[in-house]
Amino acid sequence: MAYENIIVDTRDDVATITLNRPDALNALNGDLLRELCTALEEADTSDKVRCIIITGSEKAFAAGADIAEMADKTFVDLYTTRFFENETDRFNRTRKPIIAAVAGYALGGGCELAMMCDFIIAADTAKFGQPEINLGVIAGLGGTQRLTRFVGKSKSMDMHLTGRFMDAAEAERSGLVSRVVPAKDLLGEARKAAVKIAAKSQIAAIAAKDAVNRAFETTLAEGLQYERRLFQSMFATDDQTEGMTAFLEKREAQFRDR
Ligand code: HXC
């Protein structure tokens, strides 16, 4: 499919989706978000994709929801059209792992989009923030909930109330990102991680994602039970037999997603 606001590059089992509204620092308008969701759905159902990367430009992953598009909207507009609700639901239905590769600004909806991915690899130039308070509003794509789970109440409050930005080192220190790499290596490192994930059993990767995400939705006891059941169900797969046999035979496993 032809897209106007994103670029999709699929190779080596990895789909890289690049947000591409350079004139607006990749501000997230409805068209971009809908294209992103369609690309995710295509990747999720494609035999040629086993891991997904979402990235932006050197200057901005995304500088937030598109303020020009939002400015004239009323409460009634947002409420009756379920503003961006359908898009976040579509995004969150993606089963395959998604890596956010973030350089430059990831602000407001941009920070929230990165946090909706499964993990974040940051360039040393990355800057994260929830500056919506400067616009007289608050985060609306999950920032108050997800950032708090990532970095804790104190830092999350600081970010949401002052609108200050966090640099890559602080983001790594506080658990928002999994690793920081030099900006010139960002896509290379993200691709390496994605290719590594793509070589695993897809069933196990989807189950791991599912189980980790459950940690945010339930009690510890229920989460542990969920993990236990998923772990046990892995033993109904050929990939479990292959993975363990390959280990014992001291060879690389050849997973077949069965
Ligand atoms: C629309 C944006 C934009 C945005 C930048 N631009 N961010 N357009 N929406 N979120 C546009 C600018 O208007 C400008 O267009 C061009 O991108 C370059 O931006 P500059 O401001 O000139 O660049 P710079 O001086 O380098 O400053 C970068 C910046 C700043 C610090 C990132 O642009 C900024 O503060 N942007 C807004 C960040 C923000 O408040 N995000 C939260 C949005 S609310 P022109 O045409 O003038 O060149 C949100 C809520 C989500 O995300 C909830 C949804 C449900």
Side-chain angles (χ1 to χ4, degrees):
M1 166 155 180
Y3 296 111
E4 286 177 10
N5 300 281
I6 60 172
I7 297 165
V8 183
D9 171 32
T10 301
R11 59 194 144 105
D12 306 330
D13 296 325
V14 176
T16 302
I17 303 174
T18 304
L19 310 182
N20 188 34
R21 291 190 70 209
D23 294 346
L25 301 184
N26 293 332
L28 308 170
N29 63 11
D31 288 344
L32 184 152
L33 277 178
R34 281 184 286 277
E35 288 186 6
L36 175 60
C37 291
T38 302
L40 285 173
E41 285 160 359
E42 283 189 357
D44 215 28
T45 50
S46 166
D47 295 345
K48 295 188 169 56
V49 178
R50 300 169 68 83
C51 191
I52 300 161
I53 297 170
I54 300 179
T55 194
S57 68
E58 269 176 38
K59 183 161 183 198
F61 177 74
D66 190 317
I67 299 166
E69 189 180 73
M70 278 186 301
D72 292 334
K73 293 205 186 292
T74 64
F75 162 74
V76 174
D77 295 332
L78 300 188
Y79 189 63
T80 54
T81 62
R82 297 178 181 270
F83 188 62
F84 288 168
E85 280 181 36
N86 189 33
E87 290 74 14
T88 43
D89 289 349
R90 288 174 70 194
F91 189 105
N92 291 331
R93 274 200 292 274
T94 314
R95 301 218 85 186
K96 293 175 184 170
I98 309 174
I99 302 172
V102 175
Y105 296 110
L107 304 177
C111 185
E112 294 167 305
L113 181 69
M115 291 190 290
M116 283 160 63
C117 298
D118 295 313
F119 64 98
I120 303 172
I121 299 180
D124 50 12
T125 57
K127 288 187 185 62
F128 298 88
Q130 298 286 167
E132 289 91 340
I133 196 153
N134 298 330
L135 303 170
V137 295
I138 69 166
L141 282 175
T144 61
Q145 305 305 299
R146 288 204 177 89
L147 188 65
T148 308
R149 281 165 163 82
F150 277 103
V151 306
K153 175 181 167 182
S154 189
K155 205 175 275 287
S156 179
M157 282 287 190
D158 181 357
M159 304 289 291
H160 285 282
L161 292 175
T162 67
R164 77 172 176 89
F165 301 163
M166 199 191 263
D167 67 16
E170 185 180 4
E172 185 180 32
R173 206 163 59 235
S174 47
L176 176 58
V177 310
S178 71
R179 29 182 144 153
V180 178
V181 299
K184 64 176 180 24
D185 300 332
L186 177 66
L187 257 190
E189 290 297 321
R191 283 193 63 78
K192 262 195 245 165
V195 166
K196 198 177 217 181
I197 292 167
K200 315 290 183 200
S201 160
Q202 186 88 127
I203 311 166
I206 288 172
K209 168 170 172 160
D210 199 8
V212 172
N213 280 333
R214 189 48 72 109
F216 296 98
E217 303 290 350
T218 191
T219 63
L220 179 61
E222 283 176 7
L224 290 172
Q225 182 66 357
Y226 191 75
E227 178 195 83
R228 213 174 280 135
R229 288 284 176 260
L230 269 181
F231 171 76
Q232 290 161 355
S233 71
M234 299 286 103
F235 286 71
T237 68
D238 291 347
D239 282 353
Q240 173 269 330
T241 311
E242 167 62 9
M244 294 193 178
T245 305
F247 175 83
L248 295 172
E249 292 177 353
K250 302 188 187 305
R251 61 172 175 81
E252 283 284 309
Q254 301 295 323
F255 294 116
R256 292 188 305 166
D257 303 334
R258 294 192 205 153

